[in-house]
Amino acid sequence: MSTATLDTRVESFTQAPHQLFIGGRWVDAASGETFITPNPATGEALASIAAGGPEDIDRAVRAARAAFDEGPWGRMTPSERGRVVWKIGDLILEHLEELAQLESLDNGKPLTVARAADVPLAADLFHYMAGWATKLDGSSLSLSVPYAPGVQFHAYTLREPIGVVGQIIPWNFPLLMAAWKLGPALATGNCVILKPAEQTPLSALLLAQLIAEAGVPDGVVNVVTGFGEDAGAPLAAHDMVDKVAFTGSTEVGKLIVQAAIGNLKKVSLELGGKSPNVVFADADPDASVAGAANAIFFNHGQCCVAGSRLFVEESRFDEVVEGVAEIAKSIKVGDGFAEDTQMGPLVSDEQLRRVTGFLDSGRSDGAEVVTGGGQIGDHGYFVEPTVITRTRPEMRIVREEIFGPVVVAEPFQSLDDIAALANDSSYGLGAGVWTRDISKAHAMAKRLRAGTVWINCYNIFDAALPFGGYKQSGWGREMGHEALEAYTEVKAVCAQL
Ligand code: ADP
C-alpha cells in the first residue's frame, strides 16, 4: 500500500499556531485561548487553533461593517470584483495539493477524493460566481398608478448586496462549504464573517490567505475559528449583522433562527436530510446497485443528502440489497493518505459515538444488520459501511439523520406507494430515482418533495445546480443563480417625470 507524502508546506502550516483573520490581520483570540483540532485517523493532535469568542466576533463584525460602509470594496466596479472572485478560484487550483492534504488530514476523507472533488468544486464555484458580478441587473418597470391619472413615472429595480453576512459552516466538506457561502456573497458585494466548524478549521484558514492574495480588501472576509456556542451563537445574534447563512444540523438551524430574531436579520439555512433513493425494477442493474452504494457511502455517509433510505421495487429487492452489501464489504476503509483508501474515519469521536449509538438503537428495535454494524479497531474513528433491513417506519434509524455510512433498505410495490413512502420524512433535501422508463422517472421527480432529484445518478454537484431543502431541510438555495437571491436586496426606485 502506498501512502501519499505529506507536502512540506502542509507540514509547516499544521505546525504553526493559527490565529483569527480579522480586518486583514492575523490576531490571537481576545481570551488568548486555543483548542486542538485532531487528526480523525489517529485521534492525535493535528494543529492548534485560536478559540474565538463573543469579543472576537464583535471585532470581526465591526471590521466587516467598516469594510462594507466605507472601504474600497463597494467602490470597485462589478468587473473588478468579478476578477477578484475569479482569482480566488485560480489560487485554489494553484494550491490544490495543499488544500486537499489539509482537508484529508483535518476531516479524514480520502486524499484522492479531496483532490478530485472537494478542491476542484470549490474553485469552480468561485469561477462560476465571478461571472455573476457583472450581471446583477434590475429591470425597468411600466407603472399604471390608479390614483395618479396622467402622471408618468420612470421606475426600475436595483439589486444590491445585503451588507454584513455571518456564515457558519459544517465539517463534512469544509473548503467546499466555505466556497458555497463565500462565492455568491463576494460576487454580490457583501462583507463576511466566516465561522468554520471547530472540527475542521484548517482549509478555511489557508483560504483566508488566498483570499487576501487575490486582492479582496481588508475586512471584506474575516475568519473567526471557534466553537458553536462561543463564536457561532454570538455571530448569529449580532445586531450589526444583516444576514446569517448556516449549514449544519436542523437542531442548530432552529437556534440560528431564534438568534436572528433580535434584529430580524435575513436567514438562509441548509440543514439535515434523510434522503430517499428509489430503485425501480427496470433500472440498469449494475448502475443502480453501484449508485445506491455511492449514494450512502460517499464521504462516509457524512453528506446532508446521503441516500440513507434505499427503496427497491419488490422483485429486485434481495438482489439490490445483496449487491449494495457486497460493495459495502469491499470498501477499503483506512487512513485518508493511503492511496487505496476509499473511506476514511468519521470526523470525530463524538460522531463515532453518534453513529454507533444509532446502530445499537436499530439492533435493539429489531432491525436486521445485513453487513457492517460496528466500529473498526480502537484507534481513530472508523466505522463499518452498514446495510440494514427489516425496519419499521417509526424506528429512529429510519426517521433521524445518522450522518454516517448506514443505509436502511425497504421494498416497495408501486409508484403510488413509493411516492408516499419516500416523502414520509420531516426532511426534503435530496432524492434519487433509478429507472429506464423516462415517464416514470419524471413523474417521480415531480412527486418527490425534495430540493434536488437525481435521475440515474446521485451526488452530482455543480456550481450551476441550485441546492437546498424543502420542509425542515432549509430555507433558500445555494449555488446556481438562485444563490444570488440569498445575498441581495431588491430596491424599487420610482421617479415622477
Ligand atoms: P454537527 O452536529 O454535525 O457538528 P452542527 O449543526 O452542530 O453540526 O454544526 C454546524 C456549525 O454550526 C459548526 O460551525 C458549529 O460550530 C456551529 N454551531 C453549533 N452550535 C451553534 C450555535 N448554537 N449557534 C451557532 N452556531 C453553532
Side-chain angles (χ1 to χ4, degrees), residues 167-172 195-200 226-237 244 246-253 255-256 259 271 347-348 350-351 354 401 403:
Q167 303 186 317
I168 301 171
I169 57 170
W171 45 258
N172 56 343
K195 209 296 279 173
E198 54 271 34
Q199 297 86 347
T200 54
F227 291 88
E229 281 174 19
D230 304 334
L235 179 56
V244 59
F246 170 77
T247 297
S249 60
T250 293
E251 189 191 350
V252 174
L255 296 177
I256 299 284
L271 306 176
V347 74
S348 63
E350 185 188 351
Q351 193 58 17
R354 181 185 152 85
E401 183 174 44
F403 227 65

Side-chain angles (χ1 to χ4, degrees), residues 16 58 220 244 318:
D58 187 60
V220 172
V244 59
D318 291 343

Side-chain angles (χ1 to χ4, degrees), residues 190-215:
N190 295 278
C191 293
V192 176
I193 304 93
L194 179 75
K195 209 296 279 173
E198 54 271 34
Q199 297 86 347
T200 54
L202 288 174
S203 56
L205 294 169
L206 180 52
L207 181 62
Q209 291 182 11
L210 303 182
I211 283 172
E213 192 180 331

Side-chain angles (χ1 to χ4, degrees), residues 68 73-74 78 81-82 85 129-130 132-136 159-163 165 167 181-192 243 481-489:
F68 186 79
W73 187 231
R81 202 171 65 235
V85 175
M129 288 296 168
W132 280 115
T134 47
K135 298 163 196 71
L136 300 170
R159 192 167 278 280
E160 298 180 340
I162 292 182
V165 181
Q167 303 186 317
K181 294 268 179 295
L182 288 166
L186 295 179
T188 49
N190 295 278
C191 293
V192 176
K243 174 199 161 77
H481 62 79
E482 282 80 358
L484 308 171
E485 313 271 332
Y487 287 97
T488 50
E489 294 274 22

Side-chain angles (χ1 to χ4, degrees), residues 142-186:
S142 309
L143 305 193
S144 321
V145 186
Y147 53 84
V151 182
Q152 293 210 335
F153 297 95
H154 171 49
Y156 57 94
T157 54
L158 296 172
R159 192 167 278 280
E160 298 180 340
I162 292 182
V164 172
V165 181
Q167 303 186 317
I168 301 171
I169 57 170
W171 45 258
N172 56 343
F173 294 90
L175 178 71
L176 189 56
M177 292 301 104
W180 282 18
K181 294 268 179 295
L182 288 166
L186 295 179

Side-chain angles (χ1 to χ4, degrees), residues 19-23 26 60 182 192-196 201 204-205 207-208 211 221-225:
Q19 297 174 295
L20 312 174
F21 187 61
I22 298 179
W26 292 96
L182 288 166
V192 176
I193 304 93
L194 179 75
K195 209 296 279 173
L205 294 169
L207 181 62
I211 283 172
V221 174
N222 306 274
V223 179
V224 178
T225 46

